[in-house]
Amino acid sequence: MSAGAAPHCCAVAWRERTVQIEYQWIAPERSGAPLMVFLHEGLGSVSMWRNFPTRLCDALGWRGLVYSRPGYGRSTPRATDEHWAPDFMHQQALEVLPALFDALGIDCLRNPPWLFGHSDGGSIALIHAAHFPDRVAGSIVVAPHIFVEDISVRSIEAARQAFEQGDLRARLARHHDDPDSAFGGWNGAWLSPEFRSWSLAAELPRLIGPLLAVQGEDDEYGTLAQIRGIAEGAPQTRLLELAHCGHSPHRDQPEALIAAVQRFVQPG
C-alpha cells in the first residue's frame, strides 16, 4: 500500500479572510496519474477517512487529495458566533474548493480531477460539478443529499443528543482540534427551520459528466430517493444500491465500493 504524505495546511483566501485548510496528498509520486479529490461528510476530516482514500487510489493507480473543510479537523475552526446558513454547502463547492485548487496549484482546466464525496461532501461534489463541468472529470457521490428528509432530521437530532449527553464529543475530539466547531456548524444548519426547504433540484440538470451515485439500503440519514432523484435529474447517472449497508459504504462495504468505482472509472 502506498504511503500518503503527511498532512499539511495551506492558506486560502475566503470571504475577506484567510483560513488554514488541512490537506494530505496520496501517492504524489504518481505525478502523471489522474487525481481523485475526497470530500468528507458533515462531521468528517482528513483523519476520519482512515485508510480508504489510500486503498482506493492504490486500486486505481491514481493520486489522491484529502482535505478538511474550514471548521473541521486541523483547519481553521468555526468562530463561536458563526452560524452556517442554508447555503453552506454551496459556499464550500463554489468558493472554498476552487480557492483550495488555486492555492495548491491544481490546474482543473488542463487536468480535471475526479471528485469522491461522502454525505454532505457528496452534495458539495454535485454542486461543484454542476457549476464547473469543464473542471471535473467525473464524480462519485456516496450517500449524498439532494433534499431534506424526515429520517435525516431525526438522525441529526439524535446526533445532537449523543454530542451533548453521550460520548460523541469525545470521539470527535480525536479528529478535530475544535469538536464544537465541527459539530455545531453542521448540526445547527441542518436543524434550522430554514434548511427544511433546501434542495439541489435546480443543480441536477446541469450535471453532464460521468456520475456514480452510491447508497446503502440501511442508510440512517436518507432513503434511496436521494440517489434515485439524482438519476431522474441527471439521466447519465449510474446507481449502486448496497444491501446490508448504512450511511458509510466506505466503512461498511469498502471492497464492494472500491470494485464498483474501478468498474466505473476504468471500464473494460
Side-chain angles (χ1 to χ4, degrees):
M1 183 176 290
S2 64
H8 297 282
C9 280
C10 68
V12 172
W14 177 41
R15 296 207 164 191
E16 301 181 349
R17 61 177 175 145
T18 298
V19 294
Q20 296 291 325
I21 294 185
E22 177 190 27
Y23 70 95
Q24 181 179 27
W25 291 109
I26 297 168
E29 68 277 6
R30 299 174 187 148
S31 57
L35 175 65
M36 183 78 81
V37 179
F38 294 84
L39 297 94
H40 63 73
E41 62 185 295
L43 294 177
S45 68
V46 167
S47 64
M48 283 189 71
W49 282 106
R50 299 188 178 96
N51 69 345
F52 178 80
T54 297
R55 290 182 62 186
L56 179 58
C57 288
D58 281 350
L60 298 176
W62 288 12
R63 299 176 295 142
L65 172 65
V66 189
Y67 76 101
S68 300
R69 297 191 292 275
Y72 296 93
R74 314 305 172 203
S75 298
T76 299
R78 177 183 57 89
T80 55
D81 60 348
E82 177 185 338
H83 300 285
W84 291 357
D87 70 343
F88 75 96
M89 285 185 268
H90 281 77
Q91 294 179 28
Q92 294 297 320
L94 305 181
E95 300 171 18
V96 176
L97 187 54
L100 177 64
F101 286 152
D102 288 344
L104 295 178
I106 298 173
D107 188 343
C108 296
L109 278 174
R110 185 174 180 181
N111 294 300
W114 282 78
L115 303 180
F116 186 107
H118 173 226
S119 193
D120 282 16
S123 303
I124 293 167
L126 292 172
I127 297 165
H128 185 86
H131 286 259
F132 302 104
D134 56 344
R135 295 171 182 258
V136 175
S139 306
I140 298 100
V141 294
V142 180
H145 308 284
I146 62 170
F147 64 97
V148 180
E149 294 183 278
D150 290 341
I151 188 175
S152 307
V153 174
R154 288 195 300 270
S155 292
I156 293 170
E157 287 173 339
R160 174 175 287 182
Q161 184 173 359
F163 186 82
E164 294 175 347
Q165 302 176 19
D167 67 346
L168 180 56
R169 188 182 189 282
R171 289 189 284 118
L172 290 176
R174 303 171 196 159
H175 301 281
H176 305 281
D177 284 346
D178 187 340
D180 295 286
S181 163
F183 185 84
W186 165 80
N187 197 260
W190 266 92
L191 294 184
S192 66
E194 297 79 14
F195 197 74
R196 290 306 297 259
S197 60
W198 176 87
S199 169
L200 295 187
E203 312 288 1
L204 300 180
R206 304 175 66 168
L207 292 165
I208 60 174
L211 178 57
L212 173 65
V214 183
Q215 190 162 12
E217 293 181 358
D218 302 322
D219 190 335
E220 63 273 30
Y221 283 92
T223 71
L224 294 172
Q226 299 287 343
I227 63 169
R228 292 174 182 175
I230 295 173
E232 290 176 6
Q236 81 278 15
T237 304
R238 188 177 302 176
L239 298 182
L240 174 62
E241 300 173 3
L242 294 170
H244 312 296
C245 182
H247 186 59
S248 301
H250 59 291
R251 289 195 284 268
D252 292 351
Q253 296 192 25
E255 293 84 6
L257 180 55
I258 289 170
V261 173
Q262 282 184 288
R263 291 192 299 269
F264 183 67
V265 305
Q266 299 173 333

